[in-house]
Amino acid sequence: MPLQPILASLRHHKLTATLLTLQVAITLAIVCNVVYMIASRVERISVSTGLAEDELSTVPSRNIDKVGNPDAQLAVDLAALRAIPGVRAAVAVSYSMPLNRNEWSQGICPDKQALDRAIQRNSLEGSGCVEPSVYDGTLGLIDTWGLDLVEGRDFTPDDYPAHGKPVVAIITRALAQRLYPGQRALGQSMYDGDRFIRVVGIVKRLVRPDLRADGSNDESMLLPQPPDSGGALYVLRSAPQDRQRVLAQASAALMRVNPQRLIKPERLRTYSEIRASYFQRDTTMIGLLIASALGLLFVTALGIAGLANFWVQQRTRTIGIRRAIGATRADIRCYFQAENFLIVSAGVLLGVLLAVGLNLLLMSRYELPRLPLWYLPVGALALWALGQLSVLAPALRASRVPPVVATRSV
């Protein structure tokens, strides 16, 4: 297809061609960044917690009066919960679970020298020390949560101290690699400032209660320590289809054991509900971003199709003359498609620059990561395809203009 006639025609329609070029450029810039934001959000909400998520239910319980023997109360509560039909395992924790925002973290160093470095620098950064999230609970935490123990052993009753703080821990693989790079973490003794804590087990994955942007979301540790007398979060494991029934029966069983407690019905939740609540803003934002991207693409497609229809109507006489002197239907169709390809290509070139500039602006204001370069050619291909699909109907209508009708309009 010769370019000279197309360029000559576009020179006679500078304003409309320029406006369409700008529309394509703005669409490419916005859509590339929006798609990247959607991908980032999808990656965030797809994070694996390490738990048997679809099998867990949670019952928070707070004691109204003082409990004389909290350990005995926990034992009675757990026995009642485990007696519920369908409950495979039950455990009591201190309200912290992955993605429930009840964060408890503490500084941990691989040795005493690392702690000295952290004190000298007044910062954990560069000292070798880290700040993992800490989970604790009664015996059976690994089995109830469904964690994947890849090295070492689970806690035993002897690991739970009668007095004082625990001196053993189970840590995640990510925390082990951070504390002891290139070494075997199992059997090492971590230091928290006043005691050494021996690593007796390593789990594959366990994310924080509240996700961070520093890449440390998988740095967590478990301590053999029951909740205090103020109350506990009871976690029950059952078949997915039994969770709602188990929640109702668990609440009733706990109230029978000790009516002097507070259990709010609205706080009885499956873990799937906890996860959905944590990512609610992200899923809402994904929906809004998808709607805005599709809306922008739709408006751009309408603009391309509308302009092509206008030009077909305006050039009916010219099309008829070309058909009369031997142009085929395919020639006419290809002309409009080539013309659209040139306009969209100019918009794509300008849009690439705008996309990079917009991404730099988002990086500075909203801490969005740098846009991967491969998004630009993919976006360009999408705009080219959109342009060709949008111009196809007007081009086919132009190719069906019969020469005799066109010449009668002279």
Side-chain angles (χ1 to χ4, degrees):
M1 172 65 64
L3 293 179
Q4 189 62 33
I6 299 175
L7 296 176
S9 175
L10 292 176
R11 279 197 295 269
H12 287 88
H13 303 86
K14 291 180 181 178
L15 180 59
T16 52
T18 300
L19 290 176
L20 185 57
T21 298
L22 290 175
Q23 185 177 7
V24 171
I26 294 171
T27 299
L28 177 65
I30 294 177
V31 168
C32 281
N33 281 280
V34 165
V35 170
Y36 183 45
M37 293 170 67
I38 292 172
S40 300
R41 297 273 179 168
V42 169
E43 182 180 7
R44 173 179 162 83
I45 68 174
S46 301
V47 63
S48 171
T49 60
L51 306 180
E53 296 184 13
D54 60 349
E55 300 178 16
L56 301 182
S57 308
T58 62
V59 182
S61 169
R62 289 192 178 277
N63 298 321
I64 298 176
D65 59 354
K66 292 185 178 180
V67 178
N69 188 339
D71 291 340
Q73 179 68 69
L74 286 174
V76 174
D77 288 348
L78 290 173
L81 294 174
R82 290 164 183 158
I84 296 173
V87 174
R88 288 178 48 191
V91 71
V93 301
S94 299
Y95 295 102
S96 289
M97 282 192 74
L99 304 183
N100 75 349
R101 291 192 170 91
N102 290 318
E103 177 79 32
W104 169 29
S105 60
Q106 70 176 67
I108 289 291
C109 302
D111 49 45
K112 211 170 180 183
Q113 290 73 23
L115 177 63
D116 294 336
R117 289 195 298 271
I119 294 174
Q120 291 174 358
R121 301 181 184 193
N122 197 27
S123 172
L124 295 180
E125 187 174 353
S127 65
C129 300
V130 294
E131 188 183 12
S133 294
V134 181
Y135 299 102
D136 62 6
T138 55
L139 193 65
L141 189 58
I142 297 289
D143 179 55
T144 303
W145 280 10
L147 301 177
D148 185 4
L149 187 67
V150 293
E151 288 187 63
R153 62 171 177 83
D154 195 355
F155 295 131
T156 65
D158 293 337
D159 294 325
Y160 286 78
H163 304 285
K165 298 179 179 180
V167 292
V168 297
I170 296 174
I171 65 176
T172 60
R173 180 184 288 170
L175 181 58
Q177 293 171 348
R178 180 80 179 275
L179 286 171
Y180 306 102
Q183 304 178 47
R184 193 164 186 260
L186 192 64
Q188 298 276 9
S189 292
M190 307 177 293
Y191 191 66
D192 71 348
D194 60 2
R195 59 176 168 158
F196 287 97
I197 305 173
R198 185 164 54 88
V199 178
V200 297
I202 298 175
V203 294
K204 184 177 181 180
R205 188 171 182 82
L206 181 61
V207 301
R208 295 180 181 272
D210 204 359
L211 299 181
R212 302 182 182 181
D214 59 3
S216 66
N217 288 326
D218 221 13
E219 295 177 3
S220 305
M221 61 185 293
L222 297 163
L223 294 177
Q225 182 172 270
D228 59 33
S229 59
L233 178 67
Y234 293 99
V235 184
L236 300 90
R237 187 174 183 183
S238 63
Q241 66 271 16
D242 293 336
R243 288 179 296 175
Q244 293 299 336
R245 175 185 60 79
V246 164
L247 279 175
Q249 294 183 359
S251 177
L254 290 174
M255 293 304 295
R256 285 195 300 269
V257 170
N258 178 16
Q260 299 300 317
R261 73 170 87 226
L262 179 62
I263 299 178
K264 296 182 179 181
E266 66 273 14
R267 303 295 293 172
L268 304 177
R269 297 191 293 176
T270 65
Y271 188 79
S272 300
E273 293 171 333
I274 293 175
R275 183 187 180 101
S277 175
Y278 184 85
F279 290 119
Q280 183 177 8
R281 294 181 63 183
D282 294 278
T283 52
T284 301
M285 181 60 69
I286 288 172
L288 292 174
L289 291 173
I290 291 175
S292 63
L294 291 177
L296 188 57
L297 290 171
F298 179 71
V299 169
T300 301
L302 282 182
I304 293 172
L307 183 59
N309 275 314
F310 172 73
W311 280 348
V312 168
Q313 207 170 29
Q314 195 179 47
R315 299 171 184 175
T316 301
R317 179 169 176 250
T318 304
I319 295 169
I321 293 173
R322 289 197 59 194
R323 289 297 310 279
I325 61 177
T328 64
R329 288 186 175 185
D331 292 333
I332 301 300
R333 187 189 72 249
C334 290
Y335 174 88
F336 282 95
Q337 290 180 314
E339 186 177 62
N340 173 266
F341 183 80
L342 287 177
I343 294 175
V344 172
S345 296
V348 164
L349 292 176
L350 180 59
V352 167
L353 299 177
L354 290 178
V356 174
L358 179 60
N359 181 244
L360 292 176
L361 179 63
L362 293 173
M363 287 173 59
S364 62
R365 291 195 176 185
Y366 303 105
E367 298 183 357
L368 187 72
R370 184 180 298 277
L371 180 71
L373 292 180
W374 64 267
Y375 272 74
L376 300 176
V378 171
L381 290 173
L383 263 296
W384 275 318
L386 180 68
Q388 292 300 302
L389 289 174
S390 301
V391 81
L392 184 59
L396 289 173
R397 188 165 66 85
S399 69
R400 289 194 291 266
V401 173
V404 63
V405 172
T407 54
R408 285 174 184 170
S409 65
V410 178

